[in-house]
Amino acid sequence: TVIVNVPDGYTPGAPPRGDVALKLTGPDGATGTVRISPTTLDAAAAFQQYADQRTAGYEINSVSLLPGDLCGYSGQELIGMLANQPGQSIQYVDRIAHVWTNNGDYLIALQLQAPDKTADLDAAKSVLLEDFGIRMG
């Protein structure tokens, strides 16, 4: 279980399904997603695969990486842009963590995105992407 704070103006959307534990709808077309995905990859390989999948399918994309460790777990923060045509981009900011357990490893991804120039993700980022709780059971 992942315990996160929900930013002001964001409301829960569709119920959990598959690796999507939480979907949020925010202002101005912004969305948030919490994913918990089992992985057999080590942290570095899981992070590379995640970044590749996050930008896949977009003709124009960028990704910047920052450290984002969480309580002894490896982590990264990704910031970037996705687009198929100039002038129609989506801005995103994600925080990912590679969590090991006695029952396998997981990649946890907290994702925020919004159409460029329609929403300010900074306020939501400081709430959703801050350190989050992990409960194993």
Side-chain angles (χ1 to χ4, degrees):
T1 303
V2 176
I3 304 159
V4 298
N5 293 313
V6 176
D8 288 340
Y10 283 71
T11 57
R17 184 175 179 167
D19 67 347
V20 176
L22 177 66
K23 281 203 94 47
L24 299 169
T25 301
D28 301 320
T31 61
T33 306
V34 176
R35 295 180 182 278
I36 305 171
S37 305
T39 184
T40 57
L41 302 173
D42 65 20
F47 295 160
Q48 182 64 53
Q49 181 183 56
Y50 178 86
D52 291 345
Q53 289 174 341
R54 187 67 161 115
T55 58
Y58 292 94
E59 294 291 322
I60 306 165
N61 63 68
S62 68
V63 61
S64 297
L65 300 173
L66 299 170
D69 291 352
L70 175 72
C71 300
Y73 296 113
S74 297
Q76 291 183 338
E77 188 173 308
L78 290 77
I79 301 167
M81 174 279 295
L82 308 166
N84 284 320
Q85 298 178 26
Q88 296 183 4
S89 63
I90 298 166
Q91 58 182 327
Y92 72 91
V93 58
D94 298 352
R95 183 166 182 193
I96 55 177
H98 187 269
V99 177
W100 47 267
T101 74
N102 291 334
N103 297 320
D105 297 344
Y106 295 87
L107 186 71
I108 298 171
L110 310 180
Q111 304 171 312
L112 282 171
Q113 70 180 43
D116 194 26
K117 299 182 177 116
T118 62
D120 180 8
L121 293 181
D122 287 340
K125 173 188 167 193
S126 67
V127 175
L128 182 65
L129 274 57
E130 69 180 8
D131 285 352
F132 52 91
I134 300 171
R135 181 180 309 142
M136 299 193 205

